[in-house]
Amino acid sequence: SNTIYQRGGTDGLRYESHARDIFVTGNLQGGEDLFTSQPGARYLLYILKNMFGENDILQKIFILSILYFCLLMIKNKFHNLEVNLIIFLGLTYLVSSPTVLLVTESLSETFAWPFIATLFLTYSYSQKRSKTIFFFSGLIVLIRLNYLPAIFLFLVLFRKKNLVRIKDFYIFFSILLLPLLHNLYFGNSFQFWVRSIDAQSNIRININNLIPSLINNLQIIIGDFSNDVIRSYVSLRFLFLQYLLIIVFLTSVVLTFKKMDIEKFLLIIIPILFLAPHLFFDGITEYPKHLVAGYISIIFVTLILNKETSFLFSKLKLNSARY
């Protein structure tokens, strides 16, 4: 088709512009001498544009297909009723209008989601892909710096399971240094990451009224339908789906509590670390763009926790016996 498909809000158009600058100039400067926005998204978008041209529909299909593939690969590995239920909820969440719209708008978070899903798939299959794990982990942080705490814990978990080698850590560390090298070379400034121009406006915490402020932010993370801004972005059906994901996740944690070990504990903390920064920073703009990574993690962690459970099967079998 010769039709140009382009959609995007402020952030999406900014990354589109940066990616086009790389293409037109042939220069990795990427539209900024000093990074003021997340560094990695523009370069991944540049690669996608070289693959699919201006067709944003193909770009969207490609990103979402990786997420679907990772979920279905886990389904093929774990066979029980619980996993089928979680797969259904997970796929429903990923094909929901708010999630698909975020991918369509080329927002930086969306480029990290396939890599996060791939890490969970690698963990589920216990694959010793040390260099790949460090490389993907570095790319995730390059795309969104606020994912660093969760990804660092992920690396600890991989190490605990003996799936990575310490000597390969240089790959992860080298990727983290790329923004500094860019800023030194193009901007002659020792700026480690980004020169934030709106950090203050992204803070969503009232120190003078701390506890109510934290509770309000927690309600935003969970999905407060009484909030006018959230209602303007998503429907009650979408929020109900988020509630279901949270309930199934918490139920899975309770059911595995007796068999809890350090590995399961670290796994459970990962989604929390994806979501926790938004107790203090913006989680409501273009809702739920800041939170989807956390909910994707909830889906995968819930799947892994239920890989050996047979709670639903036992209940159905018991009910059958009664009748």
Side-chain angles (χ1 to χ4, degrees):
S1 171
N2 292 323
T3 305
I4 295 177
Y5 299 97
Q6 274 196 328
R7 298 187 64 179
T10 304
D11 288 346
L13 292 177
R14 183 195 317 169
Y15 294 120
E16 293 273 357
S17 175
H18 292 327
R20 187 172 296 278
D21 282 342
I22 298 170
F23 179 80
V24 172
T25 65
N27 192 327
L28 294 179
Q29 183 256 8
E32 293 181 323
D33 289 338
L34 292 175
F35 286 130
T36 58
S37 55
Q38 301 294 337
R42 71 199 73 194
Y43 298 104
L44 287 173
L45 184 56
Y46 166 73
I47 294 171
L48 289 174
K49 291 298 184 185
N50 275 277
M51 292 170 61
F52 303 120
E54 296 289 0
N55 196 322
D56 289 356
I57 303 300
L58 291 179
Q59 174 185 308
K60 174 177 67 177
I61 292 172
F62 179 70
I63 291 175
L64 291 175
S65 294
I66 296 175
L67 294 171
Y68 304 161
F69 173 79
C70 291
L71 276 178
L72 295 177
M73 284 293 289
I74 291 181
K75 179 182 181 295
N76 291 336
K77 184 174 176 62
F78 308 140
H79 301 282
N80 57 47
L81 289 173
E82 287 83 357
V83 165
N84 288 332
L85 172 62
I86 298 159
I87 288 291
F88 174 76
L89 293 176
L91 290 177
T92 303
Y93 184 82
L94 293 177
V95 300
S96 63
S97 295
T99 306
V100 173
L101 181 61
L102 294 173
V103 177
T104 304
E105 292 183 347
S106 298
L107 299 176
S108 62
E109 292 86 354
T110 64
F111 299 111
W113 299 343
F115 296 114
I116 293 171
T118 304
L119 288 183
F120 277 111
L121 181 63
T122 303
Y123 174 82
S124 302
Y125 277 76
S126 298
Q127 293 181 327
K128 294 185 178 181
R129 299 283 189 268
S130 183
K131 288 184 172 61
T132 302
I133 290 169
F134 278 119
F135 180 69
F136 281 1
S137 298
L139 283 182
I140 292 169
V141 179
L142 189 66
I143 295 168
R144 296 294 303 181
L145 180 60
N146 56 299
Y147 292 166
L148 178 59
I151 294 304
F152 184 78
L153 187 62
F154 220 141
L155 292 177
V156 172
L157 184 60
F158 275 117
R159 180 58 186 166
K160 179 73 178 176
K161 206 171 180 181
N162 199 31
L163 298 179
V164 294
R165 299 185 297 266
I166 293 296
K167 68 177 185 178
D168 294 326
F169 184 77
Y170 76 91
I171 298 173
F172 179 73
F173 185 71
S174 298
I175 294 176
L176 296 191
L177 286 179
L178 288 176
L180 172 62
L181 297 177
H182 172 280
N183 294 331
L184 282 173
Y185 183 79
F186 293 108
N188 296 316
S189 175
F190 192 85
Q191 176 183 299
F192 175 66
W193 204 258
V194 300
R195 179 173 57 88
S196 181
I197 56 179
D198 58 356
Q200 191 66 33
S201 64
N202 285 331
I203 296 176
R204 294 289 190 273
I205 192 73
N206 185 348
I207 300 299
N208 298 324
N209 207 13
L210 183 60
I211 300 302
S213 182
L214 287 173
I215 292 173
N216 179 68
N217 290 343
L218 179 60
Q219 289 175 325
I220 289 173
I221 291 172
I222 295 173
D224 181 8
F225 194 67
S226 67
N227 187 297
D228 292 336
V229 178
I230 292 178
R231 276 209 313 273
S232 69
Y233 283 117
V234 299
S235 66
L236 181 57
R237 293 191 303 273
F238 178 81
L239 293 179
F240 182 68
L241 179 58
Q242 282 194 170
Y243 303 153
L244 279 177
L245 290 174
I246 294 171
I247 291 170
V248 174
F249 171 69
L250 293 177
T251 303
S252 302
V253 172
V254 171
L255 290 175
T256 58
F257 191 76
K258 291 182 178 179
K259 298 181 180 180
M260 186 66 64
D261 53 26
I262 187 63
E263 188 174 314
K264 287 189 177 69
F265 177 75
L266 293 176
L267 192 63
I268 291 167
I269 297 298
I270 288 174
I272 296 174
L273 288 183
F274 273 115
L275 296 171
H278 302 295
L279 288 172
F280 307 95
F281 294 97
D282 183 20
I284 199 169
T285 301
E286 294 182 88
Y287 191 91
K289 78 167 186 174
H290 295 298
L291 308 175
V292 173
Y295 281 97
I296 288 175
S297 299
I298 282 177
I299 294 167
F300 280 101
V301 170
T302 306
L303 281 170
I304 295 169
L305 290 177
N306 283 276
K307 66 180 180 180
E308 297 173 352
T309 61
S310 57
F311 179 76
L312 290 177
F313 178 78
S314 299
K315 287 291 184 182
L316 290 173
K317 188 175 181 181
L318 179 61
N319 289 336
S320 299
R322 287 175 177 173
Y323 293 104

